[in-house]
Amino acid sequence: MSSPHRGQRVAVVALAFALAAPIAAAHADPLVHYDVVDKAIPQSLTGVPGDPANGRKLVIDRARGNCLACHEMPIPEQDFQGTIGPDLKGVADRLTEGQLRLRVVDAKAITPDSVMPAFYRTDGLYRVADKLAGKPIFSAQEVEDVVAYLETLK
Amino acid sequence: MKYVIAGAMVAAGLLAHGAVRAADAQTGGDGLGKYIVGDKRSGYVFAEPDTRAMQDDDFQNPGMVWVEAGKQLWSTPDGAAGKSCQTCHGDAATSMKGVATHYPKFNPRVGKVIDLEQRIDMCRAKALQAKPYPWESHELLAMTTFIKNQSRGMPMNVAVDGPAAPFFEKGKESFYRRRGQLDLSCASCHETLEGRHLRADVLSQGQTNGFPTYRLGWQTLGSLQKRIKGCDKQMRADPHAFGSDEYVNLELYLAWRGNGLPVETPAVRK
């Protein structure tokens, strides 16, 4: 199953939900459709340029990105950075913007058994905490902000 | 009230002896041999030397307050039958020695695997005709810690064959099941990533031989199920209820992973 289909299926489910329960759907944030080309998402999810300063905040925030739990990043004021994934210093020299975007959106589309969470995905999950159920970790614009921040790591 | 005072004394002792003990731990060899059995490693191995030293010395170990409290409860009559645990079981140092190494254990009366907490509450209800202690109450933690402490140093040895087998299989499935918004399983952190740094924590194997455990992060002693709930929350997953079959089956699987490791209760962890 390819990710474009996944995107479509999520949209269809969200639509069905909207018809069945208009009040709940007012709060739901259906995922935008995206195309995966050669293990990358070349197009921006929103068309609005990402804000690298907000991206930097999101990667630090323990309740949101919490990337430092697993990665070292050139953020010297944060102690105790994780050693589970690779050091992200210079990652933008290694990977294109589109590759970084798919990595953040759905790491398992690249490495199926990855421990890195999918930050923009809501399907195929089990026992998500009630208050987070049905919500991706990042909004589409936040994905763009984080990608914009990663782009500065050259 | 008595326990509060005892706790304060423990804390005071800790200030006085802390520096000395840390030095001992450094000069006394690593002393880790008994905490490593084959490829099984107790959380003790991953702990800081100061934390290990605190566990090793009963006068510093804050969990000993619960052992003392449990000892009191053991011989105090309670409930409509006017009995105490001691009435039937006598001296716990003899009757309870080794018992906790077999828990969780299949119980024919209820037809499923139960943990030590549930076994205690079963005797309270049936034998004492007393109200069961609520989960995570001071009394249940004290009694569980006291009974498991009677097996300190003995190897964990739970049975997973015979009638326990289907419960073991369910626990195993739960251990490997990805869950929560982060889509991780227990195995992701405690098997695949053992020894790696998750922020300030070094990931251990998630062994259970030291529970109930005094956690410095909690500033109190807690049950294994409390710890599992905390890990579920880290995965942004919906935790199960205390005493649920899901958690008890998982406890059985976790205990089996550590069969052979010595009981450390009350262990001290970060």
Side-chain angles (χ1 to χ4, degrees), chain A residues 62-64 68-69 78-80 82-84 108 113-115 117 125-130 132 135-137, chain B residues 177-184 188-189 192-193 195-200 203 236-241 246:
Chain A
R62 285 169 196 252
R64 304 297 309 285
L68 294 173
Q78 291 287 323
D79 293 337
F80 302 118
T83 59
I84 286 164
K108 288 185 189 75
D113 61 350
S114 181
V115 294
L125 302 178
Y126 171 69
R127 289 191 74 84
V128 176
D130 281 349
L132 303 172
K135 295 179 191 152
I137 301 174
Chain B
R177 178 88 196 235
R178 285 177 178 262
R179 66 190 68 185
Q181 197 188 37
L182 301 190
D183 202 25
L184 295 169
S188 307
C189 284
T192 320
L193 298 174
R196 307 271 202 105
H197 284 263
L198 182 85
R199 268 280 182 168
L203 288 168
R236 303 183 192 166
D238 189 17
H240 290 279
E246 285 85 356

Side-chain angles (χ1 to χ4, degrees), chain B residues 172-241:
Chain B
K172 181 176 182 182
E173 194 184 303
S174 173
F175 186 80
Y176 286 102
R177 178 88 196 235
R178 285 177 178 262
R179 66 190 68 185
Q181 197 188 37
L182 301 190
D183 202 25
L184 295 169
S185 70
C186 313
S188 307
C189 284
H190 294 300
E191 204 171 83
T192 320
L193 298 174
E194 178 194 341
R196 307 271 202 105
H197 284 263
L198 182 85
R199 268 280 182 168
D201 288 310
V202 181
L203 288 168
S204 75
Q205 294 182 345
Q207 294 290 359
T208 62
N209 51 313
F211 280 87
T213 288
Y214 187 93
R215 260 196 84 198
L216 302 168
W218 289 332
Q219 293 191 32
T220 189
L221 176 131
S223 70
L224 174 55
Q225 294 203 12
K226 178 174 175 174
R227 175 75 242 193
I228 299 175
K229 272 178 182 264
C231 285
D232 264 338
K233 285 180 196 153
Q234 279 193 63
M235 299 180 263
R236 303 183 192 166
D238 189 17
H240 290 279

Side-chain angles (χ1 to χ4, degrees), chain B residues 100-175:
Chain B
T101 64
H102 303 300
Y103 275 81
K105 180 173 159 184
F106 182 80
N107 184 287
R109 190 188 297 170
V110 290
K112 59 184 187 180
V113 164
I114 60 171
D115 63 15
L116 188 57
E117 285 88 342
Q118 291 170 321
R119 189 64 187 85
I120 291 166
D121 268 346
M122 193 180 268
C123 266
R124 278 189 57 83
K126 303 269 180 219
L128 268 60
Q129 294 169 38
K131 270 210 256 157
Y133 292 136
W135 275 92
E136 227 52 26
S137 61
H138 177 71
E139 289 81 2
L140 187 56
L141 288 170
M143 186 64 84
T144 309
T145 308
F146 171 66
I147 291 179
K148 200 160 166 190
N149 181 255
Q150 307 308 312
S151 303
R152 189 149 66 160
M154 297 174 72
M156 283 300 296
N157 183 21
V158 293
V160 299
D161 54 354
F167 303 92
F168 172 75
E169 288 305 326
K170 284 186 193 150
K172 181 176 182 182
E173 194 184 303
S174 173
F175 186 80

Side-chain angles (χ1 to χ4, degrees), chain A residues 3-4 7 29-36 40-50 97-98 100-106 118-121 136-148:
Chain A
S3 291
D29 180 16
L31 302 188
V32 303
H33 171 77
Y34 58 84
D35 288 312
V36 177
I41 304 175
Q43 298 290 320
S44 161
L45 298 183
T46 61
V48 179
E97 184 192 309
L100 290 171
R101 189 175 288 110
L102 179 57
R103 182 40 87 177
V104 175
V105 164
D106 187 3
F119 288 88
Y120 193 68
R121 177 176 156 184
I137 301 174
F138 289 152
S139 69
Q141 192 55 45
E142 287 170 336
V143 169
E144 294 305 319
D145 294 349
V146 169
V147 171

Side-chain angles (χ1 to χ4, degrees), chain A:
Chain A
M1 186 188 20
S2 69
S3 291
H5 289 127
R6 169 179 290 149
Q8 275 156 10
R9 204 179 64 224
V10 170
V12 170
V13 170
L15 184 62
F17 191 63
L19 292 172
I23 297 170
H27 301 282
D29 180 16
L31 302 188
V32 303
H33 171 77
Y34 58 84
D35 288 312
V36 177
V37 183
D38 293 338
K39 305 236 162 182
I41 304 175
Q43 298 290 320
S44 161
L45 298 183
T46 61
V48 179
D51 169 6
N54 192 47
R56 191 178 192 274
K57 280 187 203 141
L58 288 165
V59 304
I60 296 170
D61 188 344
R62 285 169 196 252
R64 304 297 309 285
N66 199 20
C67 316
L68 294 173
C70 294
H71 292 284
E72 291 180 87
M73 296 171 110
I75 304 182
E77 73 275 19
Q78 291 287 323
D79 293 337
F80 302 118
Q81 305 191 359
T83 59
I84 286 164
D87 189 335
L88 295 183
K89 186 156 41 99
V91 73
D93 292 328
R94 303 196 288 274
L95 300 175
T96 65
E97 184 192 309
Q99 288 171 323
L100 290 171
R101 189 175 288 110
L102 179 57
R103 182 40 87 177
V104 175
V105 164
D106 187 3
K108 288 185 189 75
I110 304 168
T111 319
D113 61 350
S114 181
V115 294
M116 177 162 158
F119 288 88
Y120 193 68
R121 177 176 156 184
T122 51
D123 66 326
L125 302 178
Y126 171 69
R127 289 191 74 84
V128 176
D130 281 349
K131 62 178 191 302
L132 303 172
K135 295 179 191 152
I137 301 174
F138 289 152
S139 69
Q141 192 55 45
E142 287 170 336
V143 169
E144 294 305 319
D145 294 349
V146 169
V147 171
Y149 169 68
L150 294 174
E151 278 286 291
T152 69
L153 304 181
K154 294 201 195 246

